[in-house]
Coordinates of all heavy atoms in Angstrom, one line a residue:
G1 N 119.6 110.8 102.2 CA 120.2 109.5 101.8 C 121.4 109.0 102.5 O 121.7 107.8 102.6
S2 N 122.2 110.0 103.1 CA 123.5 109.6 103.7 C 123.3 108.7 104.9 O 122.6 109.1 105.8 CB 124.3 110.8 104.0 OG 125.5 110.5 104.8
G3 N 124.0 107.6 104.9 CA 123.9 106.7 106.0 C 124.8 107.1 107.2 O 124.6 106.6 108.3
M4 N 125.8 107.9 106.9 CA 126.8 108.3 107.9 C 126.6 109.7 108.4 O 127.1 110.1 109.5 CB 128.2 108.1 107.4 CG 128.5 106.6 107.1 SD 130.2 106.3 106.6 CE 131.0 106.4 108.2
Q5 N 126.1 110.6 107.6 CA 125.9 112.0 108.0 C 124.5 112.5 107.8 O 124.3 113.7 108.0 CB 126.9 112.9 107.1 CG 128.3 112.5 107.2 CD 129.2 113.4 106.4 OE1 129.7 114.4 106.8 NE2 129.4 112.9 105.1
G6 N 123.6 111.7 107.5 CA 122.2 112.1 107.3 C 121.2 111.1 107.9 O 121.5 110.4 108.8
L7 N 120.0 111.1 107.3 CA 118.9 110.2 107.8 C 119.0 108.8 107.3 O 118.3 107.9 107.8 CB 117.6 110.8 107.4 CG 117.3 112.3 107.8 CD1 115.9 112.7 107.5 CD2 117.5 112.4 109.3
G8 N 119.8 108.5 106.3 CA 120.1 107.1 105.9 C 119.0 106.5 105.1 O 118.9 105.2 105.1
L9 N 118.1 107.2 104.5 CA 117.0 106.6 103.8 C 117.5 105.8 102.6 O 118.3 106.3 101.8 CB 116.0 107.6 103.2 CG 115.1 108.4 104.3 CD1 114.4 109.5 103.6 CD2 114.2 107.4 104.9
G10 N 117.3 104.5 102.6 CA 117.8 103.6 101.5 C 119.2 103.1 101.7 O 119.6 102.3 100.9
S11 N 119.9 103.6 102.7 CA 121.2 103.1 102.9 C 121.3 101.7 103.5 O 120.3 101.3 104.3 CB 122.0 104.1 103.8 OG 121.5 104.1 105.1
F12 N 122.3 101.0 103.3 CA 122.5 99.7 103.9 C 124.0 99.4 104.0 O 124.8 100.1 103.4 CB 121.7 98.6 103.2 CG 122.2 98.4 101.7 CD1 123.1 97.5 101.4 CD2 121.6 99.2 100.7 CE1 123.5 97.3 100.1 CE2 122.0 99.0 99.4 CZ 122.9 98.1 99.1
A13 N 124.3 98.3 104.7 CA 125.7 97.9 104.8 C 125.8 96.4 104.7 O 125.0 95.7 105.1 CB 126.2 98.3 106.2
L14 N 126.9 96.0 104.0 CA 127.3 94.6 103.9 C 128.6 94.3 104.6 O 129.5 93.8 104.0 CB 127.4 94.2 102.4 CG 126.1 94.4 101.6 CD1 126.3 94.1 100.1 CD2 124.9 93.5 102.1
D15 N 128.6 94.8 105.8 CA 129.8 94.7 106.6 C 129.5 94.4 108.1 O 128.7 95.2 108.7 CB 130.6 96.1 106.5 CG 131.7 96.3 107.5 OD1 132.3 95.2 107.9 OD2 132.0 97.4 107.8
W16 N 130.0 93.3 108.6 CA 129.6 92.9 110.0 C 130.1 94.0 111.0 O 129.4 94.2 112.0 CB 130.2 91.6 110.3 CG 129.9 91.1 111.7 CD1 130.7 91.0 112.8 CD2 128.6 90.7 112.2 NE1 130.0 90.5 113.9 CE2 128.7 90.4 113.5 CE3 127.3 90.7 111.6 CZ2 127.6 89.9 114.3 CZ3 126.2 90.3 112.4 CH2 126.4 89.9 113.7
S17 N 131.2 94.6 110.8 CA 131.7 95.6 111.8 C 130.7 96.8 111.8 O 130.5 97.4 112.9 CB 133.1 96.1 111.5 OG 133.1 96.8 110.3
T18 N 130.1 97.2 110.7 CA 129.1 98.3 110.7 C 127.9 97.8 111.4 O 127.3 98.6 112.2 CB 128.8 98.6 109.2 OG1 129.9 99.1 108.6 CG2 127.7 99.7 109.2
I19 N 127.5 96.6 111.2 CA 126.3 96.1 111.8 C 126.4 96.0 113.3 O 125.4 96.3 114.1 CB 125.9 94.7 111.2 CG1 125.6 94.8 109.7 CG2 124.8 94.0 112.0 CD1 125.5 93.5 109.0
S20 N 127.5 95.5 113.8 CA 127.6 95.2 115.3 C 128.4 96.2 116.1 O 128.6 96.0 117.3 CB 128.2 93.8 115.5 OG 129.5 93.7 114.9
S21 N 128.9 97.2 115.5 CA 129.9 98.1 116.1 C 129.4 98.8 117.3 O 130.1 99.0 118.3 CB 130.5 99.1 115.1 OG 129.5 99.8 114.5
Y22 N 128.2 99.3 117.3 CA 127.7 100.1 118.5 C 126.6 99.4 119.3 O 126.6 99.6 120.5 CB 127.1 101.4 117.9 CG 128.2 102.3 117.3 CD1 128.3 102.4 116.0 CD2 129.1 103.0 118.1 CE1 129.3 103.2 115.4 CE2 130.1 103.8 117.6 CZ 130.2 103.9 116.2 OH 131.2 104.6 115.7
L23 N 125.8 98.6 118.7 CA 124.7 98.0 119.4 C 124.9 96.6 119.8 O 124.1 95.9 120.4 CB 123.4 98.1 118.6 CG 122.9 99.5 118.2 CD1 121.8 99.4 117.2 CD2 122.5 100.2 119.4
G24 N 126.1 96.1 119.5 CA 126.4 94.7 119.7 C 125.8 93.8 118.6 O 125.2 94.3 117.7
S25 N 125.9 92.5 118.8 CA 125.4 91.6 117.8 C 123.9 91.6 117.8 O 123.2 91.4 118.8 CB 125.9 90.2 118.1 OG 125.3 89.2 117.3
P26 N 123.3 91.8 116.6 CA 121.8 91.8 116.6 C 121.3 90.3 116.8 O 120.1 90.1 117.1 CB 121.5 92.3 115.1 CG 122.8 92.0 114.4 CD 123.9 92.2 115.3
L27 N 122.2 89.3 116.6 CA 121.8 88.0 116.8 C 121.5 87.6 118.2 O 120.9 86.6 118.6 CB 122.8 87.0 116.2 CG 122.8 86.8 114.7 CD1 123.1 88.1 113.9 CD2 123.8 85.7 114.3
A28 N 122.0 88.5 119.1 CA 121.9 88.2 120.6 C 120.7 89.0 121.2 O 120.4 88.9 122.4 CB 123.1 88.6 121.3
S29 N 120.0 89.8 120.3 CA 119.0 90.7 120.8 C 117.6 90.0 120.6 O 117.3 89.6 119.5 CB 118.9 92.0 120.1 OG 117.8 92.8 120.5
P30 N 116.8 89.8 121.7 CA 115.5 89.2 121.5 C 114.6 90.2 120.6 O 114.8 91.4 120.7 CB 114.9 89.1 122.9 CG 115.7 90.1 123.7 CD 117.1 90.2 123.1
W31 N 113.7 89.6 119.9 CA 112.8 90.4 119.0 C 112.1 91.5 119.7 O 111.9 92.6 119.2 CB 111.9 89.5 118.2 CG 110.9 90.3 117.4 CD1 109.6 90.2 117.5 CD2 111.2 91.2 116.4 NE1 109.0 91.1 116.6 CE2 110.0 91.7 115.9 CE3 112.4 91.7 115.8 CZ2 109.9 92.6 114.9 CZ3 112.3 92.6 114.8 CH2 111.1 93.1 114.3
F32 N 111.6 91.2 121.0 CA 110.9 92.2 121.7 C 111.7 93.5 121.9 O 111.3 94.6 121.6 CB 110.6 91.6 123.1 CG 110.6 92.6 124.2 CD1 109.6 93.5 124.4 CD2 111.6 92.6 125.2 CE1 109.6 94.4 125.4 CE2 111.7 93.5 126.2 CZ 110.7 94.4 126.3
A33 N 113.0 93.3 122.2 CA 113.9 94.5 122.4 C 114.2 95.1 121.0 O 114.2 96.4 120.9 CB 115.2 94.1 123.1
T34 N 114.4 94.3 120.0 CA 114.7 94.9 118.7 C 113.6 95.7 118.2 O 113.8 96.7 117.6 CB 115.0 93.7 117.7 OG1 116.1 92.9 118.2 CG2 115.4 94.2 116.3
A35 N 112.3 95.2 118.4 CA 111.2 95.9 117.9 C 111.0 97.3 118.6 O 110.7 98.3 118.0 CB 109.9 95.1 118.2
N36 N 111.3 97.4 119.9 CA 111.3 98.6 120.6 C 112.3 99.6 120.1 O 112.1 100.8 119.9 CB 111.5 98.4 122.1 CG 110.1 98.1 122.8 OD1 109.4 99.0 123.2 ND2 109.9 96.8 123.0
V37 N 113.5 99.1 119.8 CA 114.6 99.9 119.2 C 114.2 100.4 117.9 O 114.4 101.6 117.5 CB 115.9 99.1 119.1 CG1 117.0 99.9 118.3 CG2 116.5 98.8 120.5
A38 N 113.5 99.5 117.1 CA 113.1 99.9 115.7 C 112.1 101.1 115.8 O 112.2 102.1 115.1 CB 112.5 98.7 115.0
V39 N 111.1 101.0 116.7 CA 110.1 102.0 116.8 C 110.8 103.3 117.3 O 110.5 104.4 116.8 CB 109.0 101.6 117.8 CG1 108.0 102.7 118.1 CG2 108.2 100.4 117.2
G40 N 111.6 103.2 118.3 CA 112.3 104.4 118.8 C 113.2 105.1 117.8 O 113.1 106.3 117.6
F41 N 113.9 104.3 117.0 CA 114.8 104.8 116.0 C 113.9 105.5 114.9 O 114.3 106.6 114.5 CB 115.6 103.7 115.4 CG 116.4 104.1 114.1 CD1 117.5 104.9 114.2 CD2 116.0 103.7 112.9 CE1 118.2 105.3 113.1 CE2 116.6 104.1 111.7 CZ 117.8 104.9 111.8
F42 N 112.8 104.9 114.5 CA 112.0 105.5 113.5 C 111.4 106.8 113.9 O 111.5 107.9 113.2 CB 110.8 104.6 113.1 CG 109.9 105.1 112.1 CD1 110.2 105.1 110.7 CD2 108.7 105.7 112.5 CE1 109.3 105.6 109.8 CE2 107.8 106.3 111.6 CZ 108.1 106.2 110.2
L43 N 110.9 106.9 115.2 CA 110.3 108.1 115.7 C 111.3 109.2 115.8 O 111.0 110.4 115.5 CB 109.6 107.8 117.0 CG 108.3 106.9 116.9 CD1 107.8 106.7 118.3 CD2 107.2 107.6 116.1

């Protein structure tokens, strides 16, 4: 369950700095790239 030290199952954030801190703004990512990142992250 840990979002910072584990697999993060069920974790979420309501903080823009958490959302955009490493991958940049998700609003600037086309869905095609976001979908590939999602599949890669899951696997």
